[in-house]
Amino acid sequence: MRTRHRLLASLSAAALATAGVVMAAGTAEAANLLTNPDFETGTLSGWNCAAGSGSIVSTPVHGGSNALAGAASGSNIARCAQTVAVQPSTAYTFSGWLRGNFVYLGVNGGTSTWTSSAGNYTRVSISFTTAASQNSAEVYVQGWYGQGTYYADDLSLDGPGGGPGGDTQAPTTPGNVRSTGATANSVSLSWDASTDNVGVTGYDVIREGGATTSVTGTSATVTGLSASTQYRFTVRAKDKAGNLSPASAPVTATTTEGGGGPGPGRFIQAAPYLYLGWGNPPAPADVIRATGVKWFTMAFILAQNGCNPAWDSQRPLLGGTDESAIKAIRAAGGDVVPSIGGWSGNKLGPNCSTAEALAGAYQKVITAYGLKAIDVDIENTDEFESAAVQDRILTALKIVKQNNPGLRTILTFPTLNTGPNSWGNRLIEQSKVLNADIDNFTIMPFNFGGGADMYGNTVKSTNGLKDKVKSVFGLTDAEAYAKVGISGMNNMSDSNENTTTAIWTQIRDWSNANHIGRLSFWAVNRDRPNWDFTRITVGFTG
């Protein structure tokens, strides 16, 4: 069951991989040695910017979703530098795309170059050779006094990497690279782990003719793609010394058609929670641009002064921050499904005295935003464990669905690790009895207890839900899977269960393999700094 204080649960620290070097037949080939060279982590990780003068921006960029902005002033040239292990007496090339007045690119103690005035991104490059005993080099970008903000993107330091102990052995080639899912603007890939004499630190996923995505695990979701387009990928492993394995066998994958929301045919939705009622909600348009996510489940609509819907019982449907956020999401190409209810607070289900009154409250929300779908998060004793309120909610959803052709309805509720409890079973059974025509039954598979197997228990509880839906409605396994969903919890739950990015990737891949209808998690607010869980969820294709 989802409680508000889960927002304060610990955030995961995203592991950042360092780009490496190709080693083939004992010879080091050129590779990008920089950490975070294109700033797609959304942070300055790997870079040291003087006096807080550097920041990450989403526009203007040369490639991908992010770039470096250096705020040069009358007293600060906004120098951003990175120190990299190198080999002695070896040639290197440092290059990148720069924009602004008098933007420098150079190596400390050596050569530099600059662009005097660049209204658009301009490629700049230098070459240098390390000294006979040199094992590290500091490269930098900077502006100049009083010249204003500059931008840098897609930086590269090419040459053989240095490293501890003279390690020159490359990892083995990643095996069995495969596509595990696609959306209109993303492709998800997995592969078998490589081995190394010291240890593999990460992988580079190379899109033919495009950008490289760096990850630490054995899966990745490549975003920013075009709909209905075939792409070709290879994967390389990296070790701590910067050695890069040979490229894997290529794999091709095709993105789906545009859209991705509720409409004719099967209902499929990847929609992580976004909660504007917590102190530091992210700007949703920034999350969309960074990850390609198309849907948010926006929480929570509760009751205000009786049977009137309002965000958190206090913010109006129209004219406030929530409406502004929805407009921004739609302007960025996304959409929302409101979550009505939740664990705590004053809810509409008990406060609206009849199903007709409750349907009227739901209709106010639907009309305010022109919704394609709504989610009723039914929890706690006041709604979930009340037969009268369960039936009131089901009947109200039946009414609004009849009055709004094409509207999709979702019920989200708690679960045991084996599937729905007695109240969950009753909810599903009554939806059939009352002919409520619910599109998706989504469970929250967490809070089973500390140390729980979050992948195994999620699969077991979802299969239990599928079996119940199959039995009640007389469906096949495939038809029942299509009507169920998972709403997980990223990182740590209230019961000290840790759903890591690797586990969430496993859950996403299992969900794709079994073609369930919906995938969500609580919450984007807790998915900082790099939106890792959101990126994984974007790879859900149903």
Side-chain angles (χ1 to χ4, degrees):
M1 288 167 276
R2 185 176 293 107
T3 59
R4 301 299 171 82
H5 67 271
R6 285 195 173 91
L7 289 166
L8 303 178
S10 60
L11 306 179
S12 64
L16 302 175
T18 301
V21 175
V22 177
M23 297 296 295
T27 301
E29 300 176 8
N32 190 357
L33 303 181
L34 296 176
T35 295
N36 195 18
D38 50 12
F39 309 100
E40 291 304 291
T41 63
T43 71
L44 291 171
S45 178
W47 296 93
N48 180 23
C49 296
S53 57
S55 63
I56 301 301
V57 296
S58 58
T59 185
V61 299
H62 172 258
S65 301
N66 297 313
L68 167 69
S73 65
S75 59
N76 187 343
I77 58 176
R79 177 186 174 108
C80 293
Q82 182 173 148
T83 300
V84 180
V86 295
Q87 295 183 13
S89 303
T90 303
Y92 292 87
T93 299
F94 181 38
S95 62
W97 293 84
L98 309 179
R99 174 172 171 164
N101 294 329
F102 293 97
V103 191
Y104 285 73
L105 179 147
V107 56
N108 190 27
T111 186
S112 66
T113 189
W114 66 90
T115 173
S116 60
S117 180
N120 296 309
Y121 275 100
T122 301
R123 189 175 187 277
V124 176
S125 178
I126 61 170
S127 295
F128 63 95
T129 300
T130 54
S133 60
Q134 185 174 353
N135 294 307
S136 67
E138 182 188 65
V139 295
Y140 63 86
V141 292
Q142 67 180 52
W144 197 245
Y145 297 104
Q147 296 300 311
T149 299
Y150 71 84
Y151 304 93
D153 201 1
D154 297 327
L155 302 173
S156 179
L157 178 61
D158 293 329
D167 177 23
T168 59
Q169 181 173 326
T172 60
T173 305
N176 190 26
V177 180
R178 56 205 180 271
S179 172
T180 56
T183 68
N185 54 17
S186 71
V187 167
S188 296
L189 303 170
S190 294
W191 54 89
D192 296 343
S194 298
T195 58
D196 184 68
N197 63 316
V198 175
V200 173
T201 58
Y203 298 85
D204 284 343
V205 179
I206 302 99
R207 172 164 65 89
E208 187 176 85
T212 296
T213 301
S214 295
V215 297
T216 56
T218 56
S219 63
T221 297
V222 181
T223 60
L225 309 180
S226 299
S228 304
T229 303
Q230 186 179 82
Y231 291 91
R232 179 182 171 99
F233 304 91
T234 55
V235 181
R236 284 176 164 171
K238 302 177 288 190
D239 66 14
K240 188 174 183 180
N243 300 313
L244 195 65
S245 78
S248 70
V251 62
T252 59
T254 302
T255 51
T256 61
E257 296 180 1
R266 193 172 156 223
F267 176 42
I268 303 170
Q269 193 180 70
Y273 276 81
L274 173 68
Y275 182 39
L276 298 188
W278 179 45
N280 187 28
D286 290 345
V287 182
I288 290 174
R289 284 189 287 267
T291 67
V293 66
K294 289 298 184 184
W295 283 83
F296 293 103
T297 305
M298 278 187 64
F300 289 100
I301 287 180
L302 298 171
Q304 182 183 48
N305 299 324
C307 188
N308 299 305
W311 294 102
D312 280 342
S313 294
Q314 54 187 303
R315 300 189 305 278
L317 296 181
L318 299 177
T321 57
D322 301 271
E323 183 191 20
S324 297
I326 291 171
K327 287 181 176 178
I329 289 167
R330 287 174 169 169
D335 211 338
V336 301
V337 50
S339 179
I340 302 172
W343 171 257
S344 60
N346 200 28
K347 299 164 200 168
L348 289 168
N351 277 278
C352 297
S353 59
T354 66
E356 290 74 18
L358 182 57
Y362 292 164
Q363 188 64 53
K364 289 179 182 178
V365 182
I366 296 164
T367 302
Y369 305 121
L371 296 174
K372 301 180 181 71
I374 61 170
D375 166 53
V376 177
D377 189 331
I378 177 171
E379 302 186 48
N380 218 324
T381 56
D382 56 348
E383 289 195 310
F384 187 56
E385 297 181 13
S386 167
V389 176
Q390 276 198 5
D391 290 354
R392 189 178 304 154
I393 290 171
L394 291 167
T395 304
L397 288 173
K398 176 181 178 180
I399 292 170
V400 295
K401 193 161 187 181
Q402 290 171 341
N403 292 338
N404 299 269
L407 180 74
R408 303 291 194 166
T409 54
I410 305 157
L411 284 173
T412 299
F413 52 97
T415 185
L416 303 173
N417 65 355
T418 54
N421 66 8
S422 60
W423 286 107
N425 287 333
R426 182 193 186 279
L427 185 68
I428 296 167
E429 291 162 1
Q430 283 299 102
S431 72
K432 174 69 161 50
V433 170
L434 297 172
N435 196 24
D437 192 21
I438 302 300
D439 290 284
N440 187 275
F441 299 92
T442 293
I443 53 169
M444 296 179 285
F446 49 81
N447 278 7
F448 301 128
D453 173 7
M454 295 311 292
Y455 172 72
N457 278 290
T458 297
V459 169
K460 185 164 61 173
S461 59
T462 308
N463 275 329
L465 172 64
K466 179 266 298 181
D467 289 342
K468 182 63 179 180
V469 170
K470 175 183 177 180
S471 172
V472 168
F473 293 97
L475 304 177
T476 65
D477 279 333
E479 290 168 337
Y481 273 127
K483 287 180 69 68
V484 306
I486 294 170
S487 181
M489 179 170 283
N490 55 320
N491 300 312
M492 201 67 70
S493 74
D494 292 334
S495 299
N496 293 318
E497 305 153 331
N498 190 15
T499 299
T500 64
T501 53
I503 292 172
W504 190 240
T505 300
Q506 283 184 291
I507 292 170
R508 190 273 320 274
D509 290 348
W510 180 88
S511 300
N512 282 338
N514 289 279
H515 309 298
I516 74 169
R518 190 166 186 267
L519 187 66
S520 179
F521 70 87
W522 179 265
V524 174
N525 303 59
R526 305 169 64 235
D527 191 21
R528 301 173 192 267
N530 301 322
W531 322 119
D532 293 323
F533 285 84
T534 305
R535 294 178 194 274
I536 294 167
T537 306
V538 166
F540 171 70
T541 56

